[in-house]
Amino acid sequence: MQIITIFQMIYGVPSFCLMCFFFILIFIDRNNLSNPFYRLVQIDIFVNITCYINTWMSIRLENFEIGMLILIFIQKNIPGFLTVSKLCIGLYFHMQNITGLSLVVYRFTSVHFINSEKHWGRYYLLVPIFGFVYSFLVISPWWIFGNFMAKVDLVDGKLHTTVNPKSLFMHSTINYLFSLFYFLLIILVGVWTTITLQSRGKKSGSIRNQHFVQKLTKVIVCNSVLMSGNLLLLVVLSVFYILFPMQSAVSKFKWIVITFTSDMVTLAMPYLLLAFDSNIRRILRIEKRKHLFLDGVRLRTVTHQAET
């Protein structure tokens, strides 16, 4: 596990720094990044930053001797913190899907409704509020009844983790259903948006319009596959745990896959922005400013509909 965690650090730490950079950049350059879409991106990045930090508290640090000393210090001074940190894995699972879905829904509404941008500009803060309340309510049975999947205690100066098999089994079963729901929702909304864009591209007959639509489609497909791939893996993991709940090898395999699939979603946003977002690419001078003309209307190369 230690070798795997070190490998994850090689790509994880630079990606984490990139997330922090883009989070600050959106604050600083509001002239070029004023679209409500970037507020949603900023919310998504913030959730991912805190999620990544939590994975170190709840999973990764315990693989290192110095990490164990840090965890013991935290548990000694803030009793119950590590138990809550492990419980927050489920909280972030739902939060990340809500913020990810908000980006998909934003593209959908931008394509289908003319005034959607105004509404997003006014009410984008409802996304994190709803996401937190919704995620908290979903895992509330574990909070309210103290039926934690894993409880961490400090015994004789050492950390002792008690796993509740029944709670873990129930959580895995419920996560299976939620994973399936999120997976289908992301796919359906993404496909619907893509079909609409392709239909409009065919009607216009413009080569530039077709290139524009192709790029929008690539962004939507890429993001949908990324999010849905992670959810599909979680579905497989949930089924795998239900079939083999008590085998330690399966448990280790589960945590390895969870950290990798979590990183897929948590660390991907900076690279999606660098690859597809023309505003970001122009600010960083990766590409020059270009324009497209759709039915006589001047548009940026990649509008907020295409931005990651």
Side-chain angles (χ1 to χ4, degrees), residues 86-246:
K86 288 185 180 294
L87 185 60
C88 281
I89 295 174
L91 181 78
Y92 278 111
F93 165 69
H94 295 287
M95 278 288 292
Q96 284 185 309
N97 282 290
I98 293 299
T99 57
L101 279 168
S102 71
L103 299 176
V104 177
V105 172
Y106 178 89
R107 296 189 191 96
F108 177 83
T109 56
S110 296
V111 169
H112 290 85
F113 305 103
I114 297 175
N115 296 322
S116 66
E117 188 174 325
K118 293 181 180 179
H119 296 295
W120 280 106
R122 291 177 183 176
Y123 305 114
Y124 69 89
L125 285 176
L126 291 178
V127 172
I129 295 173
F130 169 77
F132 179 79
V133 173
Y134 165 80
S135 302
F136 182 83
L137 289 175
V138 169
I139 66 170
S140 61
W142 286 269
W143 286 86
I144 295 172
F145 301 107
N147 193 23
F148 302 112
M149 294 175 291
K151 188 176 181 181
V152 182
D153 296 298
L154 194 61
V155 181
D156 297 328
K158 296 182 180 180
L159 291 178
H160 178 72
T161 303
T162 304
V163 178
N164 186 333
K166 291 183 179 180
S167 178
L168 200 56
F169 177 82
M170 184 182 298
H171 190 269
S172 298
T173 305
I174 292 174
N175 261 6
Y176 169 82
L177 298 175
F178 276 110
S179 298
L180 187 60
F181 170 73
Y182 294 137
F183 173 79
L184 292 175
L185 192 58
I186 288 173
I187 288 293
L188 289 174
V189 175
V191 169
W192 192 350
T193 306
T194 302
I195 291 173
T196 302
L197 290 172
Q198 289 177 339
S199 176
R200 292 182 181 180
K202 290 179 181 179
K203 288 180 180 179
S204 70
S206 169
I207 296 177
R208 289 180 176 178
N209 194 358
Q210 291 175 4
H211 286 304
F212 175 76
V213 172
Q214 286 175 2
K215 191 164 188 178
L216 290 175
T217 303
K218 286 179 182 178
V219 174
I220 293 171
V221 170
C222 181
N223 198 43
S224 297
V225 168
L226 184 68
M227 293 293 297
S228 303
N230 180 53
L231 294 172
L232 185 59
L233 284 172
L234 286 174
V235 171
V236 174
L237 275 177
S238 298
V239 174
F240 210 63
Y241 178 78
I242 291 171
L243 295 176
F244 310 100
M246 300 305 295

